[in-house]
Amino acid sequence: CPASFSPQQRAQALEDRLSRLRENPLNPQPPVLAEDNGASTDHMCGDTLLLTMTDEDAKAEGQARAALAGQFAGRMNEALKASTLAGRAKALAWAAGQTLVATLGALLLLWLLGRPFRRVYARIEAHPAIRQFKIQNLEILSADQARKVTRGVARASRIGLTLVLFYGYLSVVFSFFPWTRGLASRLLALVWSPLSVLGHAFLGYLPNLIFLVLIILATRWLLKLVKLIFGGLSSGALTVQGFHPDWAMPTYKLARLLVFAFALVVCFPYLPGSQSEAFKGVGLFVGLLFSLGSSGAVANM
């Protein structure tokens, strides 16, 4: 109730509310309106209540409450307009200064980014390890083509880093101005949302990945043990009654195939996407091809 506050307290409350309105001078400022509630008049600026005027306030000024409320609303609008224009100019100057600093920082980062890449380009041209790539006598890439491919990869990396820097620069500059602040949030969300999804997916898949690594290590150790046993049978260091040494290597190849097949069966449920219908369909098709292709071997066995 206004009567329960002293004039000094009411003035201080009004000043505090006006200060909050002037915190963002670049945002659109609604006008101050006088709303008559019967027993009092509320002066509203958007959703913010600035002051409640009573009949006692009007009697103290010797005027009707409606007339005094209208005059007060007019004076408040003029004062807010003047302070908003001054604050807007100051805020725009500050945002422009921040943009200038961000631009200079981006240019500096671009210059620093170009220096190591110039060294990389020079090393690519002079590095003796870049030679022709061939399989047996078939030349896939000549030395000049290999250098061009390497330079292309380096240039693509530089372009990618430049685009990332430019993207971050735009997001930062857009955040300085209220008209583009929403666009800056959307730009950050375009990058952060996929990265967040990938991060959560990786953390969720991490137990399966650890299990796959353990299976691969166990399979390697088992293959070494199988090779050691059948190597001993082949050399005669290890003998089994009724098993000829000549059978060791063919049997080793079959045993190795069985170990691989068993490891694949165990790993299958933990592979990424193994529960999808597409993965199951491809797996069924490969199994069908393997069954048809191995029918002769199965009949021989």
Side-chain angles (χ1 to χ4, degrees), residues 192-254:
W192 178 251
S193 295
L195 290 178
S196 178
V197 171
L198 287 175
H200 285 90
F202 177 75
L203 291 177
Y205 183 71
L206 196 57
N208 290 348
L209 181 62
I210 295 174
F211 193 77
L212 286 174
V213 171
L214 293 177
I215 293 175
I216 292 173
L217 292 176
T219 303
R220 288 190 61 186
W221 295 333
L222 183 58
L223 287 174
K224 290 181 179 180
L225 178 61
V226 171
K227 185 177 181 180
L228 181 63
I229 292 174
F230 283 101
L233 291 173
S234 177
S235 63
L238 183 64
T239 58
V240 176
Q241 186 176 2
F243 190 90
H244 297 285
D246 295 339
W247 298 351
M249 296 314 296
T251 309
Y252 163 70
K253 293 178 181 179
L254 290 175

Side-chain angles (χ1 to χ4, degrees), residues 279-289:
F279 198 97
K280 293 178 181 178
V282 172
L284 181 62
F285 180 69
V286 172
L288 178 61
L289 291 180

Side-chain angles (χ1 to χ4, degrees), residues 89-299:
K90 183 178 179 180
L92 283 174
W94 175 249
Q98 290 178 304
T99 302
L100 178 61
V101 172
T103 303
L104 293 176
L107 292 175
L108 177 62
L109 288 176
L110 278 177
W111 180 74
L112 293 175
L113 183 65
R115 295 186 65 185
F117 274 100
R118 284 191 289 270
R119 296 195 191 99
V120 169
Y121 298 150
R123 290 187 179 183
I124 289 174
E125 295 296 334
H127 206 287
I130 301 178
R131 295 174 293 180
Q132 63 179 354
F133 175 71
K134 64 179 183 178
I135 300 176
Q136 295 182 1
N137 294 326
L138 178 63
E139 184 180 75
I140 306 299
L141 290 175
S142 64
D144 290 338
Q145 290 173 331
R147 283 191 175 88
K148 288 181 181 179
V149 170
T150 309
R151 282 197 304 269
V153 172
R155 288 196 179 98
S157 301
R158 181 177 182 179
I159 291 173
L161 291 175
T162 303
L163 290 176
V164 170
L165 177 61
F166 182 69
Y167 193 90
Y169 166 77
L170 286 181
S171 300
V172 170
V173 170
F174 285 165
S175 67
F176 295 152
F177 302 92
W179 308 287
T180 56
R181 198 163 289 151
L183 183 59
S185 301
R186 288 194 292 271
L187 285 176
L188 290 175
L190 286 175
V191 175
W192 178 251
S193 295
L195 290 178
S196 178
V197 171
L198 287 175
H200 285 90
F202 177 75
L203 291 177
Y205 183 71
L206 196 57
N208 290 348
L209 181 62
I210 295 174
F211 193 77
L212 286 174
V213 171
L214 293 177
I215 293 175
I216 292 173
L217 292 176
T219 303
R220 288 190 61 186
W221 295 333
L222 183 58
L223 287 174
K224 290 181 179 180
L225 178 61
V226 171
K227 185 177 181 180
L228 181 63
I229 292 174
F230 283 101
L233 291 173
S234 177
S235 63
L238 183 64
T239 58
V240 176
Q241 186 176 2
F243 190 90
H244 297 285
D246 295 339
W247 298 351
M249 296 314 296
T251 309
Y252 163 70
K253 293 178 181 179
L254 290 175
R256 185 175 61 179
L257 180 61
L258 291 176
V259 170
F260 276 126
F262 179 76
L264 182 61
V265 170
V266 175
C267 290
F268 184 83
Y270 301 95
L271 295 176
S274 60
Q275 303 303 320
S276 65
E277 296 300 326
F279 198 97
K280 293 178 181 178
V282 172
L284 181 62
F285 180 69
V286 172
L288 178 61
L289 291 180
F290 181 78
S291 300
L292 292 175
S294 61
S295 59
V298 173

